[in-house]
Amino acid sequence: MRDVKTLGLLGTGVIGGGWAARALHCGFDVIAADIDPNMETWIRGAVETAQPALKALTAGFDMPAPGSLTFTTDPRDMAEAADFIQENVPERPDIKSRALAEISAIAPADVIIASSTSGIMPSDIQESVAAPERFLVGHPFNPVYLLPLVELVGGRKTAAQTIEAARSFYLDLGMHPLVVQREIPGHISDRLQEAIWREILHMVAEGEATTDELDQSIVYGPGMRWAIMGTNMVFHIAGGEAGMRHMLEQFGPALEWPWTRLKAPTLTPDLIDRMVEGTKHQAEGRSIRELETIRDECLVAVQRVLAKHDMASGATLNAFEKRLADKPARS
Ligand SMILES: NC(=O)c1ccc[n+]([C@@H]2O[C@H](COP(=O)([O-])OP(=O)(O)OC[C@H]3O[C@@H](n4cnc5c(N)ncnc54)[C@H](O)[C@@H]3O)[C@@H](O)[C@H]2O)c1
């Protein structure tokens, strides 16, 4: 696998824009391809918007000079120039398979191709990829420039070296690569998010809670713990001195009670209206950009605080700072 100097992006929407901002800030050049010419303005704006948060996140770090961004509407130009390709086209197997076939026919076999897919199993789209052993899923989280998690999932034909080389590249982007042992629909993290999302939709559809009440139930409670420790460690502590064993003894019986309805509800027009109107009301007139700025400032602050304790995403930040300091400057 080759040394990466230029990251190629296929699809430059929300996720492509996030990858661009992160990679440029970490000193990589980016060539971004989108079939929609309007996306050039969009991606340049997205990179610009991410700057303050990225600078605050890495304040005091020995960052390389930022990379430069090129945009093209021809994915083949991108495939010729890139050392590592991250695909971010819409979440549809047919669109992804076609796009991956086109670029993999051009990108040399030592160029890794990663898909940002939220839940499609790599084996289901790997057949369309030329030299499929260099293909994997590298699933990020929005905003990609601030959240360190990237799930790495290999398909049936993915080589072990591909996972290892991708892992190393994502570390160079300051991320926390999590290698998923076995491919399953939704990988790991989105299965958890999806479970909550389904329960939310049921409760809104049944009139049991509003979008605002559901968000309060997370923001003032479990959500605060999740940035520090995952559910399992949180429950271990909640069990008192006997830890997880007591937790299971106490709440084990509740697992038999109807506390969840994991089968998804039907997205009726009424449910869609309730979700849309509910979140619009919660936004209190603030635009998406304004909400993003608030979110980003808080995400930076959380990571900088966690770094003081070398915990969770703060430990990733500390490891990134050390990696930059230990690494010879890129030529
Ligand atoms: N939005 C999220 O929170 C999120 C999080 C993690 C992963 N993902 C995944 O990332 C991928 C992209 O999601 P998104 O939210 O950025 O979507 P998006 O709709 O914002 O962007 C998709 C972009 O792909 C472009 N496109 C479509 N067909 C193309 C082609 N053949 N070649 C090049 N460009 C093409 C579109 O013009 C559009 O700009 C999906 O697989 C999604 O599941 C999304």
Side-chain angles (χ1 to χ4, degrees):
M1 303 298 164
R2 58 168 74 180
D3 195 31
V4 182
K5 293 198 173 65
T6 302
L7 171 66
L9 297 173
L10 186 69
T12 66
V14 174
I15 296 305
W19 279 116
R22 183 179 272 279
L24 291 164
H25 184 68
C26 293
F28 293 91
D29 290 330
V30 171
I31 174 158
D34 200 295
I35 47 174
D36 178 355
N38 297 317
M39 294 312 285
E40 173 160 17
T41 312
W42 193 91
I43 193 173
R44 290 192 187 281
V47 167
E48 196 58 39
T49 307
Q51 288 311 303
L54 276 166
K55 283 185 184 145
L57 184 71
T58 56
F61 291 17
D62 186 14
M63 294 302 295
S68 66
L69 174 65
T70 319
F71 181 87
T72 174
T73 50
D74 189 344
R76 291 167 303 183
D77 290 346
M78 179 279 290
E80 271 173 9
D83 300 314
F84 187 110
I85 296 176
Q86 186 77 36
E87 168 275 306
N88 324 283
V89 300
E91 186 75 350
R92 280 195 20 207
D94 56 332
I95 296 180
K96 286 199 187 285
S97 293
R98 263 201 313 278
L100 288 167
E102 183 184 31
I103 55 160
S104 64
I106 292 165
D110 63 346
V111 171
I112 290 180
I113 302 179
S115 172
S116 293
T117 175
S118 297
I120 300 170
M121 293 197 292
S123 292
D124 289 348
I125 41 178
Q126 192 166 33
E127 290 305 324
S128 64
V129 179
E133 65 282 353
R134 46 74 177 263
F135 175 75
L136 79 161
V137 164
H139 173 231
F141 291 77
N142 188 43
V144 181
Y145 52 90
L146 288 183
L147 295 192
L149 182 60
V150 53
E151 293 178 306
L152 271 53
V153 197
R156 276 191 292 277
K157 296 186 174 170
T158 307
Q161 303 93 295
T162 299
I163 303 276
E164 201 32 56
R167 191 174 163 278
S168 172
F169 173 60
Y170 292 130
L171 286 174
D172 284 343
L173 294 181
M175 300 183 86
H176 178 84
L178 174 64
V179 178
V180 176
Q181 300 300 331
R182 204 183 298 170
E183 55 177 338
I184 44 174
H187 322 313
I188 300 180
S189 192
D190 272 357
R191 289 183 81 103
L192 302 180
Q193 292 203 90
E194 178 81 5
I196 293 179
W197 173 235
R198 287 179 185 209
E199 201 58 39
I200 284 173
L201 292 171
H202 274 299
M203 286 197 257
V204 172
E206 296 299 320
E208 294 161 354
T210 63
T211 59
D212 186 27
E213 289 159 356
L214 287 158
D215 282 354
Q216 287 182 48
S217 80
I218 295 294
V219 166
Y220 297 98
M224 291 185 72
R225 300 186 300 219
W226 277 331
I228 308 155
M229 290 177 199
T231 299
N232 296 313
M233 282 308 289
V234 160
F235 283 4
H236 177 56
I237 295 175
E241 282 307 311
M244 178 58 90
R245 185 165 297 284
H246 179 63
M247 188 69 191
L248 287 167
E249 280 163 6
Q250 175 160 232
F251 291 106
L255 295 172
E256 304 290 327
W257 303 342
W259 277 14
T260 53
R261 292 165 286 204
L262 286 181
K263 196 166 178 307
T266 308
L267 276 184
T268 61
D270 178 54
L271 175 53
I272 292 171
D273 280 351
R274 288 185 197 200
M275 293 300 295
V276 172
E277 288 309 316
T279 44
K280 203 167 140 192
H281 178 71
Q282 286 175 260
E284 295 175 334
R286 289 165 297 184
S287 69
I288 296 288
R289 270 282 137 89
E290 286 172 291
L291 293 169
E292 279 174 347
T293 303
I294 297 166
R295 176 204 63 191
D296 288 1
E297 283 179 13
C298 295
L299 283 174
V300 169
V302 167
Q303 289 177 72
R304 301 278 311 192
V305 168
L306 288 171
K308 289 187 190 153
H309 301 277
D310 205 31
M311 284 286 297
S313 56
T316 305
L317 201 54
N318 289 340
F320 182 48
E321 185 177 16
K322 183 166 183 321
R323 190 173 173 89
L324 288 167
D326 292 349
K327 205 167 181 143
R330 276 198 296 273
S331 52

